[in-house]
Amino acid sequence: MTSARQIYLGSRRGPALPYDSEVEWIESPYVSHFERPTHYIDTGVKAETGYVATMDIQSSSTVVENGVLLAAVFNGRRLHYFATWPARNFFIGYNDSYKSQSGYAVNTRYLLKSSLNNGSQSLFVNGEQKIQLSIAENLSFNGNLYLFCANIDGTPQFQWPGKVFRVVITKDDVVIRDMIPVRFTNEAGQSEGAMYDRASKQLFRNAGTGAFGFGTDIAGGGYKCLGYSPLRFSRFSRLWKEAA
């Protein structure tokens, strides 16, 4: 027989998280520079002055081609938060104001911080400033930034092949996106990778074709609330269980 306490706990359960477990990374494959990207995420964020993108990434392709990690191009106006352009170079830029810096290597993990301020854009790599350039105007785009490729007037182009461990986007020091890699079970009953945004509580799936690859589960990741203790002042008032 179901006890009154079990009924109480069942009625107070929190919503399940939209994924099965946090994972180390999700990964996009290599796609030729001349082909349409197959793996990308629409962040839902419109690029504007004041945005800062911090990205923990690792390229995985040894093919010497250009790739774009986070960018938007609309009505001829270009904004790159990060790209490997020319091939195997760190690259940022807005319209014709752009700079690249040699030293980018495949199979190497980097912590990138790309900021767009009033009149300037900068790129920090592992805490060290690599690029600083002047921008003559404030800007606002109608289109969203795509992750793993460029959003060119609504069309994805220039796949960036590699692993993403985390992406945080802030606007005037307010967190807009705090995206972590996760795995979830899709409609076919198969596991695939995605990014879960802790800020909006949304799951961002592949907007292209196929499925993101993903790393091993992170122990202790993906907790969800199962219920609440009937003891009002108990410090163990909520009962948790790993989602994985």
Side-chain angles (χ1 to χ4, degrees):
M1 180 180 293
T2 303
S3 68
R5 182 173 181 273
Q6 287 175 316
I7 295 174
Y8 178 85
L9 289 175
S11 67
R12 295 293 300 277
R13 288 185 180 180
L17 291 172
Y19 61 88
D20 300 318
S21 178
E22 295 177 27
V23 293
E24 288 184 306
W25 42 260
I26 64 169
E27 183 175 21
S28 62
Y30 165 76
V31 175
S32 171
H33 183 72
F34 301 100
E35 298 178 14
R36 183 71 58 83
T38 57
H39 294 64
Y40 66 97
I41 288 174
D42 183 345
T43 67
V45 174
K46 291 179 172 59
E48 295 178 347
T49 298
Y51 276 108
V52 177
T54 303
M55 300 162 283
D56 188 353
I57 61 99
Q58 178 178 313
S59 176
S60 59
S61 175
T62 58
V63 178
V64 181
E65 282 192 5
N66 302 318
V68 181
L69 178 64
L70 189 68
V73 179
F74 275 79
N75 297 323
R77 302 168 70 218
R78 305 189 304 271
L79 174 66
H80 291 84
Y81 269 90
F82 180 72
T84 56
W85 196 305
R88 302 263 184 110
N89 281 263
F90 297 106
F91 175 93
I92 60 173
Y94 168 61
N95 282 353
D96 292 327
S97 298
Y98 60 86
K99 284 186 179 180
S100 63
Q101 172 72 43
S102 63
Y104 178 79
V106 298
N107 298 319
T108 301
R109 189 167 174 177
Y110 295 106
L111 181 64
L112 309 174
K113 181 179 179 181
S114 183
S115 63
L116 185 65
N117 301 313
N118 186 5
S120 68
Q121 187 179 9
S122 60
L123 176 70
F124 288 78
V125 179
N126 297 333
E128 179 183 355
Q129 183 170 310
K130 291 290 186 179
I131 303 175
Q132 176 78 36
L133 61 95
S134 297
I135 295 177
E137 60 178 305
N138 292 335
L139 68 129
S140 178
F141 275 63
N142 292 325
N144 296 338
L145 290 167
Y146 282 1
L147 181 63
F148 289 104
C149 74
N151 177 8
I152 300 184
D153 293 313
T155 300
Q157 290 190 27
F158 310 125
Q159 182 91 65
W160 179 85
K163 300 172 181 176
V164 169
F165 298 83
R166 191 176 181 185
V167 174
V168 177
I169 301 175
T170 63
K171 176 69 161 67
D172 299 326
D173 297 323
V174 176
V175 176
I176 306 299
R177 292 286 182 265
D178 183 359
M179 307 179 83
I180 59 172
V182 299
R183 63 170 173 85
F184 72 98
T185 304
N186 61 25
E187 295 82 355
Q190 300 173 332
S191 291
E192 67 176 87
M195 296 295 280
Y196 175 71
D197 176 34
R198 290 170 168 169
S200 65
K201 312 300 182 186
Q202 297 181 66
L203 185 70
F204 287 80
R205 301 176 57 172
N206 182 20
T209 59
F212 282 108
F214 55 86
T216 58
D217 291 359
I218 294 178
Y223 286 94
K224 59 184 176 183
C225 180
L226 293 181
Y228 296 78
S229 168
L231 302 177
R232 182 177 179 183
F233 299 106
S234 170
R235 67 188 182 96
F236 303 106
S237 59
R238 284 186 285 185
L239 306 177
W240 299 89
K241 180 180 182 353
E242 289 186 31

